[in-house]
Amino acid sequence: MEKTVRGPVVVIGAGLGGLSAAVHLAARGREVVLVEARDVPGGCCGTARAAGYRFDTGPSVLTMPEVLAETFGAAGADLESVLPLRRLDPFYRLAFHDGSRLDVVGGAERMAANVRELCGPAEAARYLRFRRRLGEMFEAEWSSFIDADMTRLRGMARPYALLKLAAAGGFRRLDRFVASQLTDERLVRAHTFQALYVGLPPHKALAIYAVVAHMDTVGGVYFPARGGMHAVPHALATVAEKAGASIHYGVRAERVETGADGVTGVRLDTGERLPASSVVVACDLPRAHAGLLPEAAGDWRLRRPRYSPSCLVMHFGLDRRLPGQAHHTLHFGREWGTVFSALAAGRPQPDPSLLVTCPESDDTAAPAGHSTLSVLEPAPNTAGGADWDRLAPQLEERLLRRLAALGYGDLSAVPRETFDPPAWARLGHSAGTPFALDHRFRQTAWFRPSGRSRRVPGLHFAGMYTAPGVGVPPALISGRLAAARILEGAR
Ligand SMILES: Cc1cc2nc3c(=O)[nH]c(=O)nc-3n(C[C@H](O)[C@H](O)[C@H](O)COP(=O)(O)OP(=O)(O)OC[C@H]3O[C@@H](n4cnc5c(N)ncnc54)[C@H](O)[C@@H]3O)c2cc1C
């Protein structure tokens, strides 16, 4: 039986995982100090400026606003007042290589009408059945697996939930699961591209990840009414501070210190030492294990890490608006299966699908009459040993040509900011990927690095390296789970 200790809690990293932990802990009256190496909160959910333009450098597909609402709600703040969100319409525009398009919109009947127009009535009927099945799978997974604490033994003992998931087809491969219910290749792509969000090709991802397609294509995609995506971490930091947390920016944690009873404090790069009875480490875990953490904190699950692919992201400042452009357009390449094998082998995709984001409603992004455009291309991470000095300019050139061919014009001379895998590595992401470990079976749920150290009392983990995993809602949930363990007295 562990001792209950109610000392200060130090949270390392003001990404969404760390911020969520800080909000939940401070709201329950715990003394919380959050240290962040950068000058602003957000981590991956960052911001950059160039020539009068502002770019959101991380997530753009914001799903499951209820998870954000719950995080703010823990501190008595109302999502509608601290961070009003707008539901995008369409959620995505899918542009296929044959020139056809599908707008993914809210509401079963509206969406079925779009499917009917693109693929005919029989496929629309199949779509509606598939959509119901996605909903059932989501219900089966949410409370038992995604929103549950996998560090507890009882988290593993869910035979009924597992059986339900197996019966729903959750342990088949995602591509086969979707193709068994939809016949039009374009619709299959519309519900399998999300495998990339969990770092896997659709033929390797388990069908349980079809829930990601439920979250975005059914649940909807949102965007802050003011301030772009970077408003999310700002609002979280404000709410955490109002609840009593103290946040130190521009300060790096250098060493988690321990004594016979577990953690005792955190040594900072300023030389200062923060006393702590619990520490939540909410940053890149492989790097943390290379110096920040005591050896006893080692986790066998990180012995052979399998990293997600990375991405090349280019942000452009345009001196014009883009009337009629959807907020999110996914341009599918002609190739599909082969593009994933290239990534898995550490090579750039031969014909990548691109996510183009145009946040026209964000008036902090560009001067009046101007706009910004961001494009994300999946790219290999740096673990494959590619020669990035040579590869990076080639990929940038190719992307500029592709954007011109897609009708975005010549963007080679407009103000821009670029993030390629070496840039992600410089920002502190292991293997040059901001998407952490992929979500193969042996890096999922109980097999993802633990949220709590078994051998170092008081040491907890949050963020995308832990369960439930990568993405805005999972990172927020991981912070809440870490806070809950501490609040229950598990140090
Ligand atoms: C380009 C891109 C696109 C994305 N698109 C989406 C999307 O559309 N939808 C979606 O849901 N998700 C998306 N994601 C993923 C999502 O943004 C992340 O999974 C999530 O934000 C990770 O949060 P985190 O708290 O785990 O980690 P991070 O955001 O990495 O935060 C960790 C923080 O710890 C700090 N830190 C590190 N070491 C130390 C130290 N020693 N001392 C102090 N501070 C330290 C870092 O500076 C950083 O701020 C995207 C990410 C990127 C980069």
Side-chain angles (χ1 to χ4, degrees):
M1 184 81 176
E2 280 181 10
K3 280 190 270 178
T4 301
V5 186
R6 263 190 69 98
V9 183
V10 174
V11 179
I12 301 174
L16 300 178
L19 286 165
S20 163
V23 169
H24 283 280
L25 287 162
R28 294 282 299 274
R30 291 300 293 261
E31 182 185 343
V32 177
V33 182
L34 172 51
V35 290
E36 166 54 51
R38 297 185 204 163
D39 296 332
V40 289
C44 283
C45 195
T47 185
R49 289 185 183 276
Y53 297 91
R54 192 197 69 75
F55 308 112
D56 286 318
T57 56
S60 61
V61 180
L62 178 60
T63 59
M64 305 217 60
E66 52 275 32
V67 177
L68 259 179
E70 184 207 37
T71 313
F72 290 120
D78 172 34
L79 176 68
E80 210 22 66
S81 31
V82 290
L83 185 72
L85 300 178
R86 216 167 52 77
R87 196 173 200 229
L88 299 178
D89 187 20
F91 303 148
Y92 294 104
R93 173 160 297 154
L94 307 182
F96 300 100
H97 65 276
D98 60 3
S100 60
R101 283 175 162 196
L102 174 68
D103 275 4
V104 179
V105 294
E109 284 312 320
R110 261 184 93 210
M111 183 59 193
N114 286 0
V115 173
R116 197 171 300 120
E117 198 178 316
L118 182 75
C119 321
E123 189 72 346
R126 280 189 285 273
Y127 167 74
L128 283 170
R129 275 197 300 277
F130 173 67
R131 182 179 168 111
R132 279 193 294 278
R133 201 140 170 212
L134 279 185
E136 285 158 16
M137 198 177 268
F138 179 78
E139 292 303 322
E141 278 178 55
W142 182 255
S143 56
S144 300
F145 298 100
I146 304 173
D147 203 33
D149 191 345
M150 292 297 156
T151 67
R152 296 165 204 260
L153 269 181
R154 67 171 182 269
M156 299 180 70
R158 295 173 196 276
Y160 178 65
L162 279 171
L163 280 177
K164 234 172 123 179
L165 263 187
F171 297 107
R172 299 173 66 187
R173 295 293 155 186
L174 180 63
D175 60 343
R176 291 201 196 146
F177 170 73
V178 177
S180 69
Q181 292 169 69
L182 300 170
T183 56
D184 190 296
E185 172 61 20
R186 294 166 298 182
L187 213 52
V188 171
R189 287 188 184 195
H191 294 92
T192 49
F193 76 83
Q194 295 86 349
L196 268 177
Y197 294 170
V198 297
L200 292 170
H203 65 271
K204 281 215 173 137
L206 289 176
I208 50 173
Y209 288 112
V211 292
V212 185
H214 174 84
M215 290 176 194
D216 59 6
T217 65
V218 177
V221 180
Y222 294 76
F223 190 68
R226 286 187 303 274
M229 285 299 295
H230 193 58
V232 175
H234 261 288
L236 286 165
T238 305
V239 167
E241 283 179 317
K242 271 202 184 139
S246 129
I247 308 186
H248 301 262
Y249 294 108
V251 177
R252 178 169 286 280
E254 286 210 319
R255 185 80 191 154
V256 173
E257 296 185 337
T258 54
D261 277 343
V263 302
T264 57
V266 175
R267 181 74 59 188
L268 306 179
D269 61 355
T270 54
E272 194 187 347
R273 180 181 184 279
L274 300 172
S277 66
S278 302
V279 172
V280 180
V281 176
C283 56
D284 187 276
L285 283 195
R287 290 210 179 186
H289 280 290
L292 175 67
L293 293 167
E295 211 169 300
D299 188 335
W300 58 269
R301 299 169 185 86
L302 270 171
R303 241 176 253 152
R304 290 180 59 227
R306 292 285 188 265
Y307 292 99
S308 293
S310 183
C311 58
L312 166 67
V313 189
M314 291 176 83
H315 304 279
F316 302 95
L318 309 185
D319 61 0
R320 58 194 159 98
R321 304 289 283 180
L322 292 169
Q325 174 80 24
H327 191 109
H328 291 299
T329 305
L330 196 65
H331 294 278
F332 285 99
R334 183 175 298 274
E335 304 285 331
W336 190 238
T338 52
V339 293
F340 294 106
S341 22
L343 264 195
R347 291 192 311 274
Q349 296 188 320
D351 181 18
S353 297
L354 308 177
L355 176 64
V356 171
T357 301
C358 181
E360 290 268 291
S361 67
D362 177 6
D363 56 13
T364 65
H370 294 226
S371 58
T372 60
L373 189 82
S374 301
V375 55
L376 183 150
E377 169 181 331
N381 59 40
T382 56
D387 175 2
W388 279 101
D389 287 343
R390 193 182 51 82
L391 194 55
Q394 285 175 0
L395 288 185
E396 275 191 47
E397 280 306 313
R398 185 179 75 167
L399 190 48
L400 287 168
R401 282 198 304 275
R402 178 91 187 279
L403 288 168
L406 288 169
Y408 292 99
D410 178 3
L411 301 176
S412 59
V414 306
R416 69 180 198 238
E417 278 289 315
T418 300
F419 294 83
D420 56 16
W424 295 118
R426 286 193 296 277
L427 283 167
H429 296 288
S430 290
T433 173
F435 304 123
L437 304 176
D438 69 33
H439 284 253
R440 65 188 64 205
F441 181 67
R442 66 172 186 79
Q443 297 188 148
T444 290
W446 314 283
F447 303 118
R448 215 160 169 83
S450 179
R452 177 186 175 200
S453 168
R454 292 257 159 247
R455 280 176 292 154
V456 184
L459 183 56
H460 297 262
F461 302 95
M464 59 185 160
Y465 272 90
T466 66
V470 179
V472 174
L476 293 170
I477 290 170
S478 73
R480 190 198 78 220
L481 297 173
R485 285 189 296 273
I486 293 170
L487 291 166
E488 281 170 19
R491 278 194 67 191

